[in-house]
Amino acid sequence: MSALIETAIHSTTPASAGAKPSLVGRDREGLRAALIELGVPERDLKMRTSQLWHWIYFRGARDFDAMTNVAKEMRERLAARFTLERPEVAIEQVSADGTRKWLIRLPADHPGEKPYEIETVYIPEAGRGTLCVSSQVGCTLSCTFCHTGTQRLVRNLTAEEIVAQLIVARDRLGEWPGAAQPADSIVPSGGRFVTNIVFMGMGEPLYNLDAVKRAVETISDGDGLTISKRRITVSTSGVVPEIKSLGELGAMLAVSLHAARDELRDELVPLNKKYPIKDLLEACRNYPGLSNARRITFEYVMLKDVNDSEQDAHVLVRLLKGIPAKINLIPFNPWPGTKYECSDWETIERFSEIVFRAGYASPVRRPRGRDILAACGQLKSESQKLSARERLALRAMAMTD
Ligand code: SAH
Ligand code: SF4
């Protein structure tokens, strides 16, 4: 387990009710609406929107005054009505391997109530940096092995709040033109910090699809944040009716399968009772844009003596026959109170071997897998906070191959 440095951040004032709204996270339409509010004439709207877009999403501006090609008078009008504030980062955890987790605090809906909290995790590797983002606070589904499903507070994130997670990551990593990078950062070899996005943090993204879609459009825009849709993966527990729409957007799909038989999947992922495996795989076969170059990732959490037998592996590969797929085996990450345990390393290896022989890229990379399993075992005695960090990190790592 790598050393962990945790910093509680006494942040700048978070946006409170009645405060000036932030433009951070808005799409072009949202920025245009802000400019209309300021009385910018129709003929200038397109040009002004592009200027704001460039400064917010390409340069990471935190202050309207930085926008040197925008007339001073216009900058003052913008600053009088709006801000470029980011959501509050309550805690930052940095592990020695470069993994970072941010606990982001969103204001409560009503004064006196507890604020909402979401997690965003960054995992640097040799040739890529993956950001694992949340799509909801908590989750309304209750997969039996998932900690998020036990959380009481639930609300959808707005598209702006989803995009803001990437902005926060770029702020903290110093990934804007001319920005300084933190001394303890680990930069992937390509030079870019965040190259991939996975919707594998809190929440079920397909229950918040409109916001997820708008966020993906903003994040993938070539004049700003520029993370191509082929590097954005949305993970679903199987909300069948929404899968097609995600494909039309052009994002990559990951499906939390976890079991190859309905009886077991009904128990692990209760949504399976509504959308059983047959319907789910039918939607996968019809996923728009599916090809060998654009495969679906099937996630399979390794639960000791539950879904990890050799027979399970054979049934799994038979089930996925004919679907261009990758299979990611995720070592289960225990949390306080769970009844499940992570499969033994030997069992994961055997399972992985069967999957590999069936023609799927070997999903648990051995050297890293050992690390993961070590972390998995150690987590039993770790605090809940660390377990949450590791849980998210493991998920996102399992996505990378
Ligand atoms: N709700 C979506 C996306 C968020 S969960 C979904 O379920 O796909 C992201 C991934 O983490 C899912 O595959 C989920 O099954 C997996 N996961 C949840 N809890 C886990 C745990 N304790 N250990 C390992 N993986 C877990
Ligand atoms: Fe929700 Fe995904 Fe957790 Fe299931 S695994 S409870 S869908 S976050």
Side-chain angles (χ1 to χ4, degrees), residues 145-146 200-201 203-204 235-237 256 258 299 301 332-333 395:
F145 55 88
C146 175
M200 292 193 181
E204 170 48 58
S235 174
T236 180
S237 57
S256 297
H258 306 317
E299 297 157 274
V301 64
F332 169 64
N333 218 292
R395 286 180 203 172

Side-chain angles (χ1 to χ4, degrees), residues 139 141-143 145-146 148-149 203-204 237:
C139 185
L141 298 169
S142 39
C143 303
F145 55 88
C146 175
T148 306
E204 170 48 58
S237 57

Side-chain angles (χ1 to χ4, degrees), residues 299-356:
E299 297 157 274
Y300 197 96
V301 64
M302 297 299 295
L303 303 169
K304 188 174 185 165
D305 300 331
V306 174
N307 65 354
D308 63 352
S309 72
E310 292 188 23
Q311 206 209 334
D312 286 319
H314 288 296
V315 176
L316 174 67
V317 294
R318 262 204 308 275
L319 193 65
L320 299 184
K321 213 165 175 226
I323 304 178
K326 293 188 258 185
I327 300 172
N328 275 334
L329 304 181
I330 312 178
F332 169 64
N333 218 292
W335 38 273
T338 180
K339 61 177 178 184
Y340 298 109
E341 281 179 70
C342 184
S343 308
D344 306 324
W345 176 243
E346 295 71 38
T347 310
I348 298 181
E349 270 197 330
R350 261 201 308 276
F351 200 102
S352 153
E353 194 60 36
I354 294 167
V355 166
F356 180 66

